[in-house]
Amino acid sequence: TSDVTETPRAGRSNSVSSPPVDYAQKIDVNPPKGTRDFPPEEMRLRNWLFHNFRQVSELFGFEEVDYPVLESEALYIRKAGEEIKDQLYCFEDKGNRRVALRPELTPSLARLVIQKGKSVPLPIKWFAIGQCWRYERMTRGRRREHYQWNMDIIGVPDATGEAELISSIVTFFKKIGITAKDVGFKISSRKVLQEVLNLYSVPENSFAKACIIIDKMGKIPMEEIKKELRSVELSNDAIEDLLQVLSIKSLTELEEKLGGSGEAVRDLKQLFSLAEKFGYSEWIQFDASVVRGLAYYTGIVFEGFDREGKLRAICGGGRYDYLLSTFGGDDIPACGFGFGDAVIIELLKERQLLPEVPLEVENIVCSLDPDLQGVAATVATRLRGKGQRVDLVLENKPLKWVFKRAARINAQRLILVGRSEWEKGMVNVKILSTGEQHQVNLDDLQ
Ligand SMILES: OCc1cccc(Br)n1
């Protein structure tokens, strides 16, 4: 007999009528440029990752929320020169509305918090896992979508908020086997830059732009950085002072530079002190060069990095005390982070920490006689009613085919419905790992 394989595509009988000619066309079976499919194996890994995101979020008492992938473009119209704005996946819909595929989740969160108003008491602790988009010229071949895990605390002004958020990310890393030897957090505050620029007469709206420019340090030449800083009306003295401060790597040195009375030093000291109490001091370091690339951050900012320096930032976040008020909401302090689904998988691969996430179906059920297909359905339903996963063979297949499928789906048991056994109300149960088999009365099947 020919090698029995599961129904081969090409070998499908031509009993299926061919599609109507008028719309038969060969389509591109690949997903749109920059996007991904999630076939079963990849989907199981994604579900494993998201399950860990959710478990940690719930461990910290956060509630899950979600928002439309499509938002008004107005949520993202910020004039600070951000990359995320330049790459906005935006268009005009059939109602002539300017809309965008969300590039991040925080503006949606701000919108919903304002919408809910006083009906949601503070502090708000929400988390979300959502697909985010950017439209980037595929010249760099980078992805146009990724999934982000966000946790946000709304209504807590102190650095206790950021300390709690970093604790949740450390908890996540530990949960999936990542240690402080693999990953660290660089932490700073935008108030460091603010306090330096306050020494110079800098236009109010130059601060956010300067942060976005500084975030490009290391990605574009320093001369270009200085040129862009001059273009947002920073004097050469201010620029030199700024760049000097950005090289500071210790809080002690920062205090010497800024003095001990400013908010930047106060907030950072509080955060590092709380880190001791949370037990994650070994994971964090002060690094004044961290500013992050989103315009709305106003205070502490942080990013998770791989200590081998091979990968892009794993996650990032910070305080954004004025985002809600810029959307017309109340002046409510807020902090949060975003954690993408791509770099973390690259890190796990690097560290040989990718989990095995096999398909697991306890039972495969099949009838040996076409007249007993209904009985097989009854058996499958009985087992499913007991919470057992069942792959029910839906066609009349040779036993060799069934064994092959059982192996592929990792079935633990094969339940065979045969005529002679069924006449006694029995079914055959075969334990596939040992080969042991016995007859069981349907009512005793566990
Ligand atoms: O991290 C920036 C970003 C935003 C949306 C989609 C992708 Br891929 N990346």
Side-chain angles (χ1 to χ4, degrees), residues 271-326:
L271 178 61
F272 276 77
S273 165
L274 284 165
E276 285 284 340
K277 303 291 185 281
F278 275 107
Y280 62 73
S281 293
E282 60 175 340
W283 290 74
I284 65 172
Q285 64 199 57
F286 173 75
D287 183 330
S289 68
V290 174
V291 287
R292 299 299 295 164
L294 292 169
Y296 48 67
Y297 287 131
T298 55
I300 284 173
V301 284
F302 54 86
E303 68 188 34
F305 70 99
D306 90 282
R307 293 192 187 274
E308 285 192 8
K310 291 181 185 167
L311 305 174
R312 305 181 307 285
I314 301 163
C315 57
R319 178 159 291 280
Y320 52 96
D321 283 345
Y322 302 115
L323 183 61
L324 281 87
S325 51
T326 60

Side-chain angles (χ1 to χ4, degrees), residues 2-119:
S2 65
D3 174 36
V4 176
T5 57
E6 287 191 75
T7 319
R9 286 256 179 269
R12 275 216 166 120
S13 67
N14 58 11
S15 61
V16 176
S17 61
S18 56
V21 174
D22 60 344
Y23 65 73
Q25 54 157 355
K26 186 167 173 47
I27 59 155
D28 179 353
V29 293
N30 294 304
K33 271 187 182 308
T35 69
R36 299 164 291 175
D37 292 316
F38 286 89
E41 189 175 351
E42 286 80 357
M43 194 64 200
R44 286 198 292 272
L45 179 61
R46 176 176 131 186
N47 285 335
W48 169 85
L49 185 67
F50 290 12
H51 173 69
N52 282 286
F53 287 159
R54 280 199 175 83
Q55 272 205 326
V56 169
S57 303
E58 286 157 7
L59 193 65
F60 278 70
F62 282 59
E63 297 175 273
E64 185 161 11
V65 294
D66 196 6
Y67 327 95
V69 174
L70 185 74
E71 286 276 14
S72 164
E73 184 187 46
L75 266 65
Y76 314 107
I77 301 300
R78 304 189 290 254
K79 296 178 175 49
E82 296 157 284
E83 185 181 73
I84 206 165
K85 161 80 175 58
D86 298 341
Q87 296 173 349
L88 197 59
Y89 210 130
C90 54
F91 55 97
E92 188 160 298
D93 73 10
K94 293 180 178 176
N96 302 108
R97 295 176 198 84
R98 292 296 306 168
V99 290
L101 297 181
R102 64 190 178 193
E104 53 162 328
L105 301 176
T106 308
S108 301
L109 169 111
R111 176 179 61 70
L112 184 58
V113 167
I114 296 168
Q115 178 202 127
K116 290 298 180 188
K118 300 269 188 295
S119 70

Side-chain angles (χ1 to χ4, degrees), residues 167 242 254-255 278 284 359 376 384 390 393 400 419 434:
S167 178
L242 207 51
L254 183 75
E255 189 165 1
F278 275 107
I284 65 172
L359 169 60
R384 287 164 177 161
V390 175
V393 176
K400 197 170 180 186
R419 175 165 296 285
T434 62

